[in-house]
Amino acid sequence: MLKFLYSRMCLIWCEHCVITKVGAFLLLISLGGVSLAFAAYNDDPAVRGVVAQTRVRAAELLRTGQSEEAYTLYKEILLSNPEDDEAAWGLARSGAMSKHWNQSVTAYEMLIEKHPGEAILYKELAQVYMLLGEREAAERCLAQVSGQDGDMPNLDAMEKKLSQVQLHGRLRAGLLYDSNVNMGPDAEGLDLGSWHVIVPGVKSKESFGAYLGADLDFGWQPRRDSGWWLVGDLRGLWRGHERQALHDDLHVRESQWGRAALGVRHVGSKTLLDVRVREEIFDYEFLQHVRSLGPELTFIYAPVTKVQFITSAGWDSRKYSEVKERNGGYGWAGEYVRILLGSDGHAFTAGARALWGAANVSDYDYTGWEGSARFLFKLPGNVDLEPFVSLTQEFYEGPATALEDEIRIDNRWRLGAALTWHINDAWAIEASYTYTDNASSCSLYDYTQHLVMTGVSWSF
């Protein structure tokens, strides 16, 4: 009996568990408000039809991640017919997803008592015990089927994944080539308004170099059955170039970027809310820097399994060590959609965001927008290919220099691709190429740039 049910039902676990699809129902029929709690489960064809429709509806809710609703319907079916094994299995799985873990354990134990030879039941019950933090009980479940064929859950990996303290990081190192380190124009002779001027040292400068990067993300869940987390991150990136003139003329031979953030996150069955306060600093040779401090928000809503709507917003107060006229508040707000393609993990993300800045000197105030698109292709051999493109427009309140009357407008294209070969779970080889073309109404800010980076990363 269970083998027949296994071919019909869809194994969907909560976000902390392995997700395995073992089939799905193709028909979705609404109940129209009929409650099975008061329906007698007998030979009445109408009653049997309602039960069948409810079972299909519950299975579809479970498949699409609406576990709480599925749990309620499966419970109603069992109230009408406690011998319905399919409903009991659905109750066990939906209970695991919706954090009704004790009820899920009870349902699995009832099924095991009736079908002691079904290994899948012991494996799934072991995962629910791990959700409850009862590893010894999970080990006893797996011991019942240890001699049978099939993959066994890795309890060590599962325990780490389900820990209430999560810590993940990555270290990166590699080489780079930058065709325009200082983001300068093609020549030192510039037309600014009606004047032709020579600006020494402003011309673009290319260089080979190296980079080092580090990322650390952490989270703490106060209660296992809660969707709330305390989260934070630390990130840093150093870039150095071999060309000595970048130091002698411009003091941009090295750059450092760092970030620290702390906030809260709530994870629901279809939503994720992440709010943090972050501080960032970007610095050239520890001589000239920009500091920023402010909040950021990310909200993700997944109405169906393979579609996610992403809202992002943020604001920061910036302070410049050199150009204090730019000090002020800067922000953005955007909306994106991510579509998961196929069963291999391919994805497409696209959207746009509004940009604005309010500086101490109004000529540096601006409004703008940015549209972007990115693909993720999962290639054979554990290779990820991510092509991307973006267009940014910035409209300033005043001219870029005192020699001009025309209001500054920038149009910036970025396109490129990133390639990552995952050697194993920890080690990867990465490479990326980015082309930037900034077309400005002020020739001082006209530039193109080719940036190539390749290296190795270690994740933990």
Side-chain angles (χ1 to χ4, degrees):
M1 176 62 179
L2 275 223
K3 288 186 182 347
F4 171 71
L5 296 181
Y6 183 68
S7 67
R8 297 180 60 199
M9 297 187 68
C10 178
L11 174 56
I12 304 175
W13 288 103
C14 65
E15 61 166 339
H16 298 303
C17 299
V18 179
I19 300 176
T20 310
K21 294 186 178 178
V22 195
F25 291 105
L26 301 179
L27 182 63
L28 176 61
I29 304 176
S30 174
L31 280 181
V34 178
S35 173
L36 289 180
F38 304 101
Y41 194 85
N42 52 33
D43 291 333
D44 187 337
V47 173
R48 291 202 308 271
V50 170
V51 172
Q53 293 169 3
T54 305
R55 187 183 292 112
V56 171
R57 173 62 174 161
E60 179 65 14
L61 289 169
L62 184 61
R63 186 186 69 81
T64 56
Q66 301 176 69
S67 55
E68 188 67 48
E69 295 86 345
Y71 177 81
T72 299
L73 290 186
Y74 279 125
K75 188 164 60 174
E76 289 187 352
I77 296 174
L78 284 173
L79 285 172
S80 301
N81 179 25
E83 300 302 316
D84 191 328
D85 288 345
E86 184 175 345
W89 205 354
L91 182 75
R93 288 173 166 174
S94 60
M97 290 179 63
S98 58
K99 301 181 181 179
H100 298 285
W101 294 323
N102 291 319
Q103 292 85 345
S104 177
V105 167
T106 300
Y108 275 118
E109 289 177 341
M110 291 172 57
L111 285 169
I112 287 174
E113 185 176 351
K114 294 172 65 176
H115 307 277
E118 295 293 338
I120 185 66
L121 296 176
Y122 293 95
K123 295 177 183 179
E124 293 183 9
L125 177 56
Q127 296 187 54
V128 180
Y129 275 131
M130 291 299 290
L131 287 169
L132 284 166
E134 299 180 13
R135 173 158 182 160
E136 291 184 0
E139 290 173 343
R140 288 195 297 270
C141 282
L142 296 184
Q144 299 295 321
V145 292
S146 59
Q148 301 187 27
D149 294 334
D151 295 332
M152 300 294 287
N154 186 328
L155 296 187
D156 289 334
M158 193 180 301
E159 187 172 43
K160 181 179 179 181
K161 190 174 183 180
L162 296 177
S163 172
Q164 290 174 257
V165 177
Q166 296 286 326
L167 188 67
H168 304 283
R170 183 176 63 157
L171 300 176
R172 306 159 53 216
L175 303 176
L176 63 86
Y177 167 75
D178 192 335
S179 69
N180 192 345
V181 179
N182 57 317
M183 293 180 288
D186 293 334
E188 294 183 345
L190 305 174
D191 291 321
L192 302 178
S194 58
W195 298 83
H196 183 79
V197 298
I198 304 297
V199 184
V202 75
K203 182 181 176 180
S204 61
K205 292 177 173 58
E206 64 177 351
S207 178
F208 289 93
Y211 68 91
L212 296 172
D215 304 315
L216 181 66
D217 292 276
F218 61 89
W220 173 58
Q221 185 183 33
R223 291 184 12 237
R224 184 177 291 275
D225 60 349
S226 171
W228 288 99
W229 290 76
L230 177 68
V231 294
D233 63 81
L234 296 170
R235 309 190 190 283
L237 178 66
W238 171 87
R239 286 176 51 175
H241 299 89
E242 51 82 24
R243 186 167 179 173
Q244 183 63 33
L246 293 171
H247 169 74
D248 296 338
D249 300 334
L250 302 172
H251 298 291
V252 295
R253 191 180 182 187
E254 294 182 27
S255 65
Q256 305 85 27
W257 171 80
R259 164 191 162 110
L262 185 66
V264 294
R265 174 185 293 166
H266 183 269
V267 181
S269 61
K270 288 188 173 185
T271 60
L272 181 147
L273 174 66
D274 191 298
V275 181
R276 307 187 188 199
V277 175
R278 79 205 185 286
E279 182 171 14
E280 298 183 29
I281 182 168
F282 181 82
D283 184 277
Y284 281 118
E285 298 191 7
F286 300 105
L287 295 175
Q288 46 185 327
H289 61 262
V290 183
R291 300 179 67 97
S292 63
L293 175 66
E296 64 180 17
L297 174 147
T298 301
F299 177 73
I300 301 176
Y301 170 60
V304 295
T305 304
K306 293 192 174 183
V307 178
Q308 300 172 354
F309 293 99
I310 305 169
T311 302
S312 67
W315 179 89
D316 56 77
S317 174
R318 297 183 192 173
K319 293 185 177 181
Y320 291 76
S321 64
E322 297 296 319
V323 190
K324 300 186 184 300
E325 295 85 354
R326 293 180 179 270
N327 292 352
Y330 296 80
W332 76 92
E335 188 69 28
Y336 301 84
V337 60
R338 179 187 294 138
I339 301 174
L340 306 180
L341 307 170
S343 59
D344 295 327
H346 309 303
F348 171 68
T349 305
R353 62 175 181 167
L355 310 169
W356 64 90
N360 286 348
V361 176
S362 60
D363 282 351
Y364 293 107
D365 292 355
Y366 71 88
T367 57
W369 70 281
E370 177 186 84
S372 62
R374 178 181 290 265
F375 280 96
L376 169 60
F377 297 109
K378 294 286 188 177
L379 304 181
N382 291 324
V383 176
D384 294 346
L385 174 63
E386 296 184 73
F388 56 87
V389 61
S390 69
L391 171 62
T392 304
Q393 287 189 310
E394 296 170 341
F395 306 92
Y396 287 81
E397 294 294 324
T401 69
L403 300 177
E404 298 172 285
D405 296 323
E406 184 180 356
I407 301 298
R408 178 184 169 187
I409 299 175
D410 284 10
N411 297 280
R412 183 166 53 256
W413 281 97
R414 279 199 178 99
L415 58 96
L419 191 70
T420 305
W421 174 32
H422 299 278
I423 301 173
N424 52 43
D425 290 340
W427 290 95
I429 294 176
E430 57 186 23
S432 65
Y433 166 75
T434 304
Y435 170 73
T436 304
D437 181 5
N438 194 77
S440 177
S441 57
C442 174
S443 58
L444 182 63
Y445 296 97
D446 263 334
Y447 70 89
T448 59
Q449 181 187 46
H450 301 268
L451 176 62
V452 180
M453 304 176 70
T454 181
V456 63
S457 69
W458 175 69
S459 301
F460 61 91

